[in-house]
Amino acid sequence: MDVEIKVNSDNVLFFNALASETRLKIIENLLPEHKNIKELAHELQLSSTIIAKHIEILEQANIVKCENIKANRGIQKVCRVILTDYHLVFEQKINNSLQQLQQFELSIGHFSAYNVSGTCGLSTVNSLIGVCDDPRYFSHPERYDAGIVWFAHGEIEYKLPSFMFENTNKISELEISVELCSEAPGINENFLSDIYFSINGLSLGKWISPGDFGKLKGTYTPKWWYLTEYGKLVKIKITTSGTYINDELVSNVTIGELGLSQNSDATFKIISPRETDNPGGVNIFGKGFGNYDQGIIVNILRK
């Protein structure tokens, strides 16, 4: 499971939790299997009281989770590592005196058009919308509350509101971030998928999803959910020098070629075509699902 951690003071609990040799050894011991406090104390040759204090720090940092489980001799506290993969992000601060950042978030259910087939569906955090594999339910009124949307083939379109594009000549960068993964039959964490993106009909490039992730529970995914659990955070950034996906140049399309206008909405599409090297579908995660608890976030940077 891959989670993005920003290197800043907001995450001091996380980094403090790792600043201990004992706590690192506890994590190493928990990675193969769940263990209780007594077992950890025995393996590390420390008292249960000391182990419990270290576990409390790891819990506060959301690295370890403990549950009280009935045992032969009463109740025992069993611990496990919540997440196994972290992506550290060193963010460069923007000089607000020179550049202005505007942000807008779209719900993943607020799509304006769709054309999907194969395995497909939608769900809110409480229940499925209609039934699986029936594209007709993509028109259901409850779709606006969807926390996850998936399809094997086709495309889905979102409107980027025109009020975001005032003073288009000053826009130097447009970034769209969304959590995605492949859509395999069942769960398959080694299932490549070519996922393409476009704005106003102009192809921006593709991201190759490594798989359909479901072996571990998504951080925000509801407990009752039984299909795909989480994805990877994908950032599509269009600048004056080209288009980047997760900081890798994927095309020469620049911000000036997008045809952005304050008089008309822009269209953003997520596409999973049949005719491609890896036709593996797509899962789109929104609030209440996955590892990031966000919809489609649009950032616009102006000079």
Side-chain angles (χ1 to χ4, degrees):
M1 187 180 297
D2 185 15
V3 170
E4 185 177 278
I5 297 290
K6 294 179 180 178
V7 181
N8 58 34
S9 58
D10 292 337
N11 291 312
V12 67
L13 284 177
F14 175 84
F15 293 107
N16 180 60
L18 299 179
S20 161
E21 184 178 356
T22 299
R23 290 194 286 276
L24 291 176
K25 287 181 178 179
I26 289 173
I27 293 171
E28 288 175 352
N29 274 270
L30 289 177
L31 284 175
E33 59 182 342
H34 303 177
K35 293 179 181 177
N36 60 39
I37 298 292
K38 187 176 180 180
E39 289 171 330
L40 288 169
H42 175 73
E43 292 187 16
L44 298 180
Q45 297 184 341
L46 294 170
S47 71
S48 295
T49 301
I50 291 176
I51 293 295
K53 289 181 178 179
H54 283 292
I55 286 292
E56 183 180 354
I57 293 172
L58 290 169
E59 282 189 289
Q60 290 173 350
N62 291 320
I63 296 172
V64 166
K65 183 176 182 180
C66 298
E67 296 176 320
N68 292 322
I69 297 177
K70 289 184 179 180
N72 294 333
R73 297 182 179 180
I75 302 294
Q76 64 176 0
K77 191 172 186 178
V78 176
C79 308
R80 64 180 176 88
V81 174
I82 301 174
L83 307 170
T84 57
D85 293 302
Y86 291 92
H87 176 207
L88 298 184
V89 177
F90 294 82
E91 290 192 314
Q92 183 177 0
K93 289 187 176 181
I94 297 171
N95 187 338
N96 290 325
S97 64
L98 300 176
Q99 301 188 87
Q100 181 182 9
L101 178 66
Q102 180 183 10
Q103 186 174 91
F104 184 82
E105 184 170 4
L106 288 166
S107 164
I108 65 164
H110 279 232
F111 47 85
S112 54
Y114 66 91
N115 181 10
V116 302
S117 61
T119 56
C120 61
L122 317 87
S123 180
T124 69
V125 295
N126 297 314
S127 63
L128 278 169
I129 298 175
V131 297
C132 292
D133 305 335
D134 189 339
R136 294 178 301 170
Y137 286 98
F138 276 61
S139 294
H140 196 288
E142 288 185 17
R143 69 183 175 86
Y144 294 108
D145 297 321
I148 186 170
V149 175
W150 69 95
F151 54 92
H153 308 291
E155 62 183 37
I156 195 165
E157 177 187 283
Y158 296 89
K159 293 289 188 183
L160 306 183
S162 58
F163 66 77
M164 297 187 66
F165 304 124
E166 293 182 357
N167 301 318
T168 53
N169 61 317
K170 294 185 178 181
I171 296 177
S172 59
E173 183 179 296
L174 170 63
E175 181 187 82
I176 299 173
S177 68
V178 58
E179 185 176 354
L180 304 171
C181 77
S182 310
E183 165 51 22
I187 299 296
N188 187 340
E189 302 209 348
N190 296 293
F191 193 80
L192 299 181
S193 180
D194 295 340
I195 302 172
Y196 290 79
F197 310 97
S198 73
I199 290 181
N200 287 340
L202 188 62
S203 179
L204 302 174
K206 71 177 179 181
W207 174 68
I208 302 177
S209 168
D212 183 332
F213 304 109
K215 289 184 179 179
L216 297 175
K217 198 70 185 169
T219 304
Y220 299 100
T221 302
K223 290 183 178 180
W224 64 269
W225 186 247
Y226 55 93
L227 298 174
T228 305
E229 290 288 336
Y230 63 92
K232 303 281 187 180
L233 191 64
V234 180
K235 293 184 178 182
I236 307 109
K237 185 184 296 183
I238 306 97
T239 72
T240 55
S241 61
T243 296
Y244 300 79
I245 295 181
N246 292 345
D247 296 324
E248 180 180 345
L249 182 66
V250 294
S251 77
N252 294 320
V253 176
T254 64
I255 193 76
E257 297 176 81
L258 297 182
L260 302 177
S261 170
Q262 63 183 12
N263 298 316
S264 60
D265 295 340
T267 59
F268 169 64
K269 289 185 179 182
I270 299 174
I271 307 161
S272 176
R274 289 180 181 272
E275 302 301 324
T276 187
D277 293 337
N278 303 295
V282 60
N283 275 272
I284 307 171
F285 299 84
K287 284 187 174 295
F289 279 82
N291 283 348
Y292 295 93
D293 200 33
Q294 66 166 64
I296 299 172
I297 294 180
V298 182
N299 288 319
I300 293 179
L301 196 63
R302 287 180 172 83
K303 296 178 181 179

